[in-house]
Amino acid sequence: MASSSSSSVQPRYQVFLSFRGADTRHGFTSHLHKALKERGISAFLDEEKLEKGEQLTPALLNAIEASKISIPILSKNYASSKSCLAELSKIMECKDSPSGQIVLPIFYWVNPSDVRHHGGPFEESFCQHLINKPQEVHRWKADFTRVGDLIGWHIDGVRSESKYIEEIVGVVIEKLKSKSTSVSEDLVGINDHIEELERLIRDQEDTRFIGIWGMGGIGKTTLAQAVYYKVVSGSNKFGAHHFLLNVREEIEKKGMQFVRDDLLHKLLKEDIKIDTPTIGSEVIRDRLRNIRALVVLDDVSEPDQIDGLGVEHLGLGSKIIVTSRDQQVLKNIGANRWHKLEKLNGADSLKLFCNFAFKQYNPIADFRDLSMEFLSYAGGQPLALKVLGRALYGNTRDVWESYLKALEKSPEKSVIELLKISYDELGSLEQKIFLDVACFFTGEQKDDVTRLLDGFYGGGALYAITKLFNKCLLDDRSDYLRMHDLLQEMGRDIVRKESEEPGRRSRLCSAEDIYEVLDSNKVRANQLHLYMK
């Protein structure tokens, strides 16, 4: 049956619901449809009189193509219906189209693994289809596997269906808000940040430098990318635009002049070669002044990196978004506004973790308790949630329990390596004081610790602590010294790796180590001094 191209159809519906009528029409599906309508979301629900035979009607084909989001409700008899399988194939076709339809599956009292592997109640359905539709079965199975790998909801009675529906509607609203950003499915909990930064770009003409500040792995690059794509796709107010990823790393590897000349090439659309450290050519500077540009400079660690790139020459109305772990960098470049990213709240942490650990928005019932323990370990840090989720996906409960025990002995390497970049950029005194706080002084009153460390190091403690605040290695929201649990674990891990023997380490961080060195009379004076405070 002929149909118009997905890319040529203008969205008329926000959501298309695909379901097996006999399973869910008068229950879950109707309740979900009502909840979507009550929140002002246009959702297509096939009327009962249209329940069809083997081919999709033009009305259904157009409804799928004209929707921004499709929600297949995969119940136990879904695959027994040829028309449901045809709908799902069309939905996956639209997902692959240039418009990139969003697909949010609901595993309604079925195991997502059975969907992926065509097992459980679906095995017999596909066997039956082999008799009459052997050619289509291969495609239907492939689409079933693909939808089973997508992030969705596993409804299994752990919570009431009304709670699931409330969460589904919330996610649909988030996805509709961010539909034009072209970012990945793991974007969670930053829509409010996107809207705030977008307002700064759109409404604040005098705002030139906009900073995004936060600890490593907290989502600065993800946020900057989402804002960049949303502005670029929805506005023609900028004559040029470029996203320069990993500024610090690129300059270290390729040199400032190479990175600057490549940026100029992207903005001016021709090869530019400048042999001097700064842009001395008045012709080049004038050309830049005539450009209204949107530029993202990701992971800037020094003000000189901004100065060397020459973005100060860009024309009126230009916006430069700078992401950094160091608040002082944003102050030094004269950022008009900066936006600090904090850790994710509990609900968003669970959602992001489940995206990677289960490929759905809620935990499998048998893993709920362990999921909460991994959430506690990650402490709302998005990178840690993603890394842990990826490592656990598809594994048994025994493996999950073993991984928890392994983390007690040694932190996740990929997370710690990213966090350690900020530590490696510190001076000697700041590194020492960071380790002191991680080992001994977390939760202690800042002024008291400052006086103690001034006496121990001969001064400079207040400056060092302020620098740790600026680099997001300490929390600056109270008069007490606090740091993220992962940063504390990183500091203690640095100390543990100084030596296999606790008596040879610079600090003693655990009661077991202290007992061992005191019992063997191997403690050094500086270890005892700091521990006794």
Side-chain angles (χ1 to χ4, degrees):
M1 179 177 293
S3 67
S4 57
S5 168
S6 298
S7 60
S8 66
V9 176
Q10 294 299 313
R12 288 189 292 119
Y13 300 100
Q14 292 170 300
V15 175
F16 178 86
L17 297 175
S18 175
F19 61 98
R20 182 73 168 105
D23 286 352
T24 67
R25 174 182 292 281
H26 299 297
F28 181 83
T29 298
S30 65
H31 296 152
L32 175 58
H33 182 249
K34 180 182 177 183
L36 290 167
K37 287 180 66 177
E38 287 175 348
R39 296 297 298 273
I41 298 168
S42 172
F44 182 91
L45 179 72
D46 176 23
E47 297 296 338
E48 191 163 7
K49 63 181 180 181
L50 293 181
E51 193 121 345
K52 56 263 159 219
E54 296 180 1
Q55 287 190 316
L56 300 187
T57 65
L60 275 172
L61 286 170
N62 289 333
I64 296 171
E65 291 180 345
S67 298
K68 296 180 180 179
I69 297 174
S70 280
I71 301 180
I73 301 168
L74 303 165
S75 55
K76 65 179 181 179
N77 293 310
Y78 187 94
S80 67
S81 166
K82 299 183 185 71
S83 58
C84 283
L85 293 172
E87 279 183 8
L88 184 63
S89 288
K90 185 62 181 177
I91 286 169
M92 300 309 288
E93 177 187 321
C94 291
K95 183 181 186 300
D96 295 334
S97 71
S99 61
Q101 187 177 99
I102 295 170
V103 181
L104 302 174
I106 295 172
F107 305 97
Y108 187 76
W109 291 95
V110 297
N111 194 321
S113 178
D114 287 340
V115 175
R116 287 191 288 272
H117 302 294
H118 324 124
F122 308 114
E123 183 176 7
E124 183 179 351
S125 296
F126 282 114
C127 287
Q128 289 294 323
H129 294 320
L130 275 172
I131 299 172
N132 299 317
K133 294 286 182 180
Q135 295 180 341
E136 285 87 345
V137 168
H138 179 73
R139 174 166 55 89
W140 289 343
K141 280 188 170 183
D143 290 328
F144 228 61
T145 297
R146 289 180 62 202
V147 79
D149 277 329
L150 297 179
I151 296 167
W153 291 267
H154 182 202
I155 296 181
D156 53 7
V158 173
R159 293 184 292 165
S160 68
E161 290 191 359
S162 62
K163 290 291 185 182
Y164 284 115
I165 287 173
E166 181 181 341
E167 182 177 313
I168 291 165
V169 173
V171 170
V172 167
I173 292 172
E174 285 184 11
K175 295 296 182 183
L176 290 172
K177 285 181 179 178
S178 60
K179 179 68 174 71
S180 63
T181 60
S182 301
V183 292
S184 63
E185 286 285 334
D186 59 86
L187 190 153
V188 171
I190 66 171
N191 274 317
D192 289 343
H193 302 296
I194 293 173
E195 290 177 5
E196 181 177 338
L197 292 170
E198 189 184 12
R199 279 196 300 271
L200 285 178
I201 293 172
R202 183 182 63 243
D203 302 333
Q204 303 292 324
E205 283 295 320
D206 59 336
T207 299
R208 187 173 184 83
F209 283 97
I210 300 170
I212 301 175
W213 168 49
M215 67 182 288
I218 203 68
K220 301 182 297 295
T221 302
T222 300
L223 174 58
Q225 179 181 334
V227 173
Y228 175 80
Y229 279 125
K230 190 164 188 179
V231 172
V232 168
S233 64
S235 171
N236 58 2
K237 67 186 293 185
F238 297 105
H241 51 82
H242 185 60
F243 192 112
L244 182 51
L245 188 66
N246 297 329
V247 169
R248 173 188 56 81
E249 183 179 335
E250 287 295 294
I251 290 176
E252 287 176 358
K253 290 194 302 187
K254 301 175 181 177
M256 174 64 78
Q257 288 180 220
F258 179 91
V259 175
R260 180 201 58 206
D261 291 353
D262 187 57
L263 175 62
L264 294 179
H265 164 70
K266 299 294 194 309
L267 297 177
L268 297 176
K269 298 178 175 57
E270 67 172 83
D271 287 337
I272 302 291
K273 299 293 182 184
I274 301 174
D275 297 327
T276 55
T278 60
I279 302 175
S281 168
E282 189 65 31
V283 173
I284 297 295
R285 292 204 298 265
D286 283 343
R287 291 181 63 188
L288 290 172
R289 292 187 191 108
N290 290 325
I291 294 176
R292 184 185 178 102
L294 172 67
V295 177
V296 176
L297 303 177
D298 172 63
D299 193 22
V300 174
S301 59
E302 297 290 342
D304 289 347
Q305 293 165 356
I306 302 289
D307 297 338
L309 292 172
V311 291
E312 72 274 12
H313 299 300
L314 290 170
L316 292 174
S318 294
K319 305 292 181 184
I320 300 99
I321 299 174
V322 179
T323 77
S324 181
R325 303 171 186 223
D326 193 339
Q327 184 186 32
Q328 191 62 39
V329 168
L330 301 178
K331 292 177 181 177
N332 287 337
I333 66 173
N336 306 81
R337 304 285 184 91
W338 62 69
H339 189 86
K340 185 177 183 184
L341 272 184
E342 306 285 359
K343 63 183 182 180
L344 294 177
N345 61 34
D348 286 334
S349 293
L350 181 61
K351 189 184 300 180
L352 183 60
F353 175 75
C354 290
N355 284 2
F356 290 89
F358 305 109
K359 302 294 185 183
Q360 60 190 53
Y361 288 107
N362 59 304
I364 294 173
D366 292 343
F367 291 84
R368 182 175 292 275
D369 57 333
L370 290 174
S371 296
M372 300 315 293
E373 292 195 51
F374 280 104
L375 257 62
S376 176
Y377 175 84
Q381 214 262 15
L383 175 70
L385 292 164
K386 295 176 189 178
V387 169
L388 295 174
R390 286 192 181 108
L392 294 165
Y393 175 63
N395 283 302
T396 64
R397 186 178 172 88
D398 289 344
V399 173
W400 281 51
E401 292 171 343
S402 178
Y403 191 23
L404 267 179
K405 292 177 182 177
L407 290 174
E408 292 175 3
K409 301 289 185 183
S410 179
E412 177 60 49
K413 182 179 178 182
S414 59
V415 176
I416 296 303
E417 284 179 348
L418 182 70
L419 296 177
K420 195 170 178 289
I421 293 172
S422 296
Y423 171 83
D424 291 337
E425 292 174 346
L426 298 172
S428 175
L429 178 62
E430 294 96 64
Q431 287 185 343
K432 291 175 182 176
I433 289 180
F434 172 79
L435 296 179
D436 292 339
V437 175
C439 291
F440 312 122
F441 300 123
T442 301
E444 299 291 333
Q445 218 279 340
K446 182 176 74 172
D447 291 342
D448 293 344
V449 175
T450 301
R451 284 193 295 270
L452 188 151
L453 294 177
D454 266 336
F456 189 72
Y457 291 114
L462 180 59
Y463 171 76
I465 288 173
T466 300
K467 193 163 185 178
L468 296 179
F469 287 146
N470 286 333
K471 284 189 169 289
C472 295
L473 293 170
L474 286 177
D475 193 330
D476 61 349
R477 291 179 295 175
S478 74
D479 293 328
Y480 293 84
L481 295 176
R482 305 188 189 281
M483 65 172 58
H484 194 283
D485 290 347
L486 288 174
L487 290 170
Q488 184 178 33
E489 182 61 27
M490 178 190 77
R492 295 185 174 195
D493 188 60
I494 291 170
V495 171
R496 281 195 296 267
K497 289 179 177 176
E498 291 174 349
S499 173
E500 291 290 330
E501 298 180 33
R504 294 181 177 276
R505 298 172 190 162
S506 61
R507 294 156 182 82
L508 301 175
C509 301
S510 69
E512 293 81 2
D513 290 344
I514 294 165
Y515 179 83
E516 179 181 336
V517 293
L518 289 176
D519 186 55
S520 58
N521 199 27
K522 293 180 180 179
V523 68
R524 298 207 306 268
N526 68 322
Q527 292 174 313
L528 186 59
H529 184 177
L530 274 177
Y531 181 73
M532 297 301 291
K533 294 189 269 187

